[in-house]
Coordinates of all heavy atoms in Angstrom, one line a residue:
Y228 N 39.5 31.2 47.1 CA 40.8 31.8 47.4 C 40.7 33.3 47.1 O 40.0 33.7 46.2 CB 41.9 31.2 46.6 CG 42.3 29.8 46.9 CD1 41.7 28.8 46.2 CD2 43.1 29.5 48.0 CE1 42.0 27.4 46.5 CE2 43.4 28.1 48.3 CZ 42.9 27.1 47.5 OH 43.1 25.8 47.8
A229 N 41.4 34.1 47.9 CA 41.6 35.5 47.6 C 42.5 35.6 46.3 O 43.3 34.7 46.1 CB 42.3 36.2 48.7
I230 N 42.2 36.6 45.5 CA 42.9 36.7 44.3 C 44.4 36.8 44.5 O 45.2 36.3 43.7 CB 42.4 38.0 43.5 CG1 41.0 37.8 43.1 CG2 43.3 38.3 42.3 CD1 40.4 39.0 42.4
S231 N 44.8 37.5 45.6 CA 46.2 37.7 45.9 C 47.0 36.4 46.2 O 48.2 36.4 46.1 CB 46.4 38.7 47.0 OG 45.8 38.2 48.2
V232 N 46.3 35.3 46.5 CA 47.0 34.1 46.9 C 46.8 32.9 45.9 O 47.3 31.9 46.1 CB 46.7 33.7 48.3 CG1 46.9 34.8 49.3 CG2 45.2 33.2 48.4
K233 N 45.9 33.1 44.9 CA 45.6 32.1 44.0 C 46.9 31.6 43.3 O 47.7 32.4 42.9 CB 44.6 32.5 43.0 CG 43.2 32.6 43.5 CD 42.2 32.9 42.3 CE 40.8 32.9 42.8 NZ 39.8 33.2 41.7
G234 N 47.0 30.3 43.2 CA 48.2 29.7 42.6 C 49.4 29.5 43.6 O 50.3 28.8 43.2
R235 N 49.3 30.2 44.7 CA 50.4 30.1 45.7 C 50.0 29.3 47.0 O 50.8 28.6 47.6 CB 50.9 31.4 46.1 CG 51.5 32.2 44.9 CD 52.2 33.5 45.4 NE 51.2 34.4 46.1 CZ 51.3 34.8 47.3 NH1 52.4 34.5 48.0 NH2 50.5 35.7 47.8
F236 N 48.8 29.5 47.4 CA 48.3 28.9 48.6 C 47.3 27.8 48.3 O 46.5 27.8 47.3 CB 47.5 29.9 49.5 CG 48.4 31.0 50.1 CD1 49.7 31.1 49.7 CD2 47.9 31.8 51.1 CE1 50.5 32.1 50.3 CE2 48.7 32.8 51.6 CZ 50.0 33.0 51.3
T237 N 47.2 26.8 49.2 CA 46.3 25.7 49.0 C 45.7 25.3 50.4 O 46.4 25.1 51.3 CB 47.0 24.4 48.5 OG1 47.6 24.7 47.2 CG2 46.0 23.3 48.3
I238 N 44.4 25.3 50.4 CA 43.7 25.0 51.6 C 43.2 23.6 51.5 O 42.8 23.1 50.4 CB 42.5 26.0 51.9 CG1 41.9 25.7 53.3 CG2 41.4 25.9 50.9 CD1 40.9 26.8 53.8
S239 N 43.2 22.8 52.6 CA 42.7 21.5 52.6 C 42.2 21.2 54.0 O 42.5 21.9 55.0 CB 43.8 20.5 52.3 OG 44.9 20.6 53.2
R240 N 41.4 20.1 54.1 CA 40.8 19.7 55.4 C 40.7 18.2 55.5 O 40.6 17.5 54.5 CB 39.5 20.4 55.7 CG 38.3 20.0 54.7 CD 37.1 20.8 54.9 NE 36.4 20.4 56.1 CZ 35.3 21.1 56.6 NH1 34.9 22.2 56.0 NH2 34.7 20.7 57.7
D241 N 40.7 17.8 56.7 CA 40.6 16.4 57.0 C 39.3 16.3 57.9 O 39.4 16.6 59.1 CB 41.8 15.8 57.7 CG 41.7 14.3 57.9 OD1 40.6 13.8 58.1 OD2 42.8 13.6 57.9
N242 N 38.2 15.9 57.4 CA 37.0 15.9 58.1 C 37.0 14.9 59.3 O 36.4 15.1 60.3 CB 35.8 15.5 57.2 CG 35.5 16.7 56.2 OD1 35.8 17.8 56.5 ND2 34.9 16.3 55.1
A243 N 37.7 13.8 59.1 CA 37.8 12.8 60.2 C 38.6 13.3 61.4 O 38.3 12.9 62.5 CB 38.5 11.5 59.7
K244 N 39.5 14.2 61.2 CA 40.4 14.8 62.2 C 39.9 16.2 62.6 O 40.5 16.7 63.6 CB 41.8 14.8 61.8 CG 42.4 13.4 61.6 CD 43.9 13.5 61.2 CE 44.5 12.1 60.9 NZ 45.9 12.2 60.5
N245 N 39.0 16.7 61.9 CA 38.5 18.1 62.2 C 39.7 19.1 62.1 O 39.8 20.0 63.0 CB 37.8 18.2 63.5 CG 36.4 17.6 63.5 OD1 35.8 17.4 62.5 ND2 36.0 17.2 64.7
T246 N 40.4 19.0 61.1 CA 41.6 19.9 60.9 C 41.5 20.6 59.5 O 40.9 20.1 58.6 CB 42.9 19.2 61.0 OG1 43.0 18.2 60.0 CG2 43.1 18.5 62.4
V247 N 42.1 21.7 59.4 CA 42.2 22.5 58.2 C 43.7 23.0 58.1 O 44.2 23.4 59.1 CB 41.2 23.6 58.1 CG1 41.4 24.7 59.2 CG2 41.3 24.3 56.7
S248 N 44.2 22.9 56.9 CA 45.6 23.4 56.7 C 45.7 24.4 55.6 O 44.8 24.4 54.7 CB 46.5 22.2 56.4 OG 46.6 21.3 57.5
L249 N 46.7 25.2 55.7 CA 47.0 26.2 54.6 C 48.4 26.1 54.2 O 49.3 26.4 55.0 CB 46.6 27.6 55.1 CG 46.8 28.7 54.0 CD1 45.7 28.5 52.9 CD2 46.7 30.1 54.6
Q250 N 48.7 25.5 53.0 CA 50.0 25.4 52.5 C 50.3 26.7 51.7 O 49.6 27.0 50.8 CB 50.2 24.2 51.6 CG 51.5 24.1 50.9 CD 52.6 23.8 51.9 OE1 52.5 22.9 52.8 NE2 53.7 24.5 51.8
M251 N 51.3 27.4 52.2 CA 51.7 28.7 51.6 C 53.0 28.6 50.9 O 54.1 28.4 51.6 CB 51.7 29.8 52.7 CG 50.4 29.9 53.4 SD 50.3 31.3 54.6 CE 51.6 30.7 55.8
N252 N 53.1 28.8 49.6 CA 54.3 28.8 48.8 C 54.6 30.1 48.2 O 53.7 31.0 48.1 CB 54.2 27.7 47.8 CG 54.0 26.3 48.3 OD1 54.5 26.0 49.4 ND2 53.2 25.5 47.6
S253 N 55.8 30.3 47.8 CA 56.2 31.5 47.1 C 55.8 32.8 47.9 O 55.3 33.8 47.4 CB 55.6 31.6 45.7 OG 56.0 30.5 44.9
L254 N 56.1 32.7 49.2 CA 55.7 33.8 50.1 C 56.5 35.1 49.8 O 57.7 35.1 49.4 CB 55.9 33.4 51.5 CG 55.0 32.4 52.0 CD1 55.5 31.7 53.3 CD2 53.6 33.0 52.3
N255 N 55.8 36.2 49.9 CA 56.5 37.5 49.7 C 56.1 38.4 50.9 O 55.2 38.1 51.7 CB 56.0 38.2 48.4 CG 54.5 38.4 48.3 OD1 53.9 39.2 49.0 ND2 53.9 37.7 47.4
P256 N 56.8 39.5 51.1 CA 56.6 40.4 52.2 C 55.1 40.8 52.4 O 54.7 41.1 53.5 CB 57.5 41.6 52.0 CG 58.6 41.0 51.2 CD 58.0 40.0 50.3
E257 N 54.4 40.9 51.3 CA 53.0 41.3 51.4 C 52.1 40.3 52.1 O 50.9 40.6 52.5 CB 52.4 41.7 50.0 CG 53.0 42.9 49.4 CD 52.4 43.3 48.1 OE1 51.6 42.5 47.6 OE2 52.7 44.4 47.6

């Protein structure tokens, strides 16, 4: 993770479905 998003964003993937997701919490204008 980039330092700026650690603790707020979570990346995950499903290898069976060939998908990747990014859960973004506590979003700010930056």
Side-chain angles (χ1 to χ4, degrees):
Y228 295 95
I230 295 175
S231 61
V232 307
K233 282 185 177 180
R235 299 188 298 121
F236 291 10
T237 302
I238 188 171
S239 61
R240 66 187 283 174
D241 186 332
N242 291 333
K244 298 180 179 179
N245 287 336
T246 60
V247 62
S248 297
L249 185 68
Q250 178 65 46
M251 304 185 293
N252 300 325
S253 302
L254 289 163
N255 59 66
E257 293 184 349

